[in-house]
Amino acid sequence: MLDGVFTSASKGVTGDVMFASTGTIQGIKDYDRYELCVAGDCFVTGDAIDVISLSNSKLEGSEKMFGYRFDGQNQTLSLFQLINTNPEEKGAYTVGAEVFRFARKKADKK
């Protein structure tokens, strides 16, 4: 789903960003891994938004969850803050501000 190269002007992003099908990321400062949430403890927003975890493989405990959403054509990917509205209640998260926006880079024609 995310596999590919994206461009971005978001803070903390240097040049193109590559999401590999193996779960690695290149080009986002502080993060080199991603994992899409499919069930379990990361399923904190219900139907409000899908969840992705970004982490740095060199830093234990660096995992951070974001909400993510594609536009209708799967060409623009937006990542949003997830705000814990009640730390004592599991799954009490709301969607906050957009943190990153990526546009899928078109493949060069040969």
Side-chain angles (χ1 to χ4, degrees):
M1 178 187 297
L2 293 181
D3 193 26
V5 178
F6 294 78
T7 59
S8 175
S10 299
K11 186 176 179 179
V13 177
T14 54
D16 290 342
V17 175
M18 187 174 91
F19 289 88
S21 61
T22 57
T24 60
I25 307 170
Q26 293 177 356
I28 302 178
K29 184 180 180 219
D30 299 328
Y31 302 109
D32 64 1
R33 306 276 312 156
Y34 76 92
E35 184 175 352
L36 299 179
C37 172
V38 292
D41 289 344
C42 65
F43 196 68
V44 296
T45 62
D47 293 336
I49 197 166
D50 293 317
V51 175
I52 184 172
S53 295
L54 303 183
S55 62
N56 184 326
S57 60
K58 296 173 184 70
L59 295 173
E60 191 171 326
S62 65
E63 183 177 280
K64 184 166 182 180
M65 291 189 300
F66 295 90
Y68 77 93
R69 187 174 291 140
F70 275 102
D71 68 351
Q73 294 79 39
N74 285 345
Q75 296 303 306
T76 302
L77 170 66
S78 297
L79 271 58
F80 298 88
Q81 279 182 317
L82 292 181
I83 301 165
N84 189 342
T85 56
N86 184 355
E88 296 180 17
E89 182 182 332
K90 195 174 199 174
Y93 284 79
T94 59
V95 179
E98 184 179 71
V99 179
F100 298 109
R101 178 178 291 190
F102 305 104
R104 193 176 296 274
K105 195 168 182 180
K106 304 236 186 295
D108 292 334
K109 292 182 181 181
K110 293 184 180 188

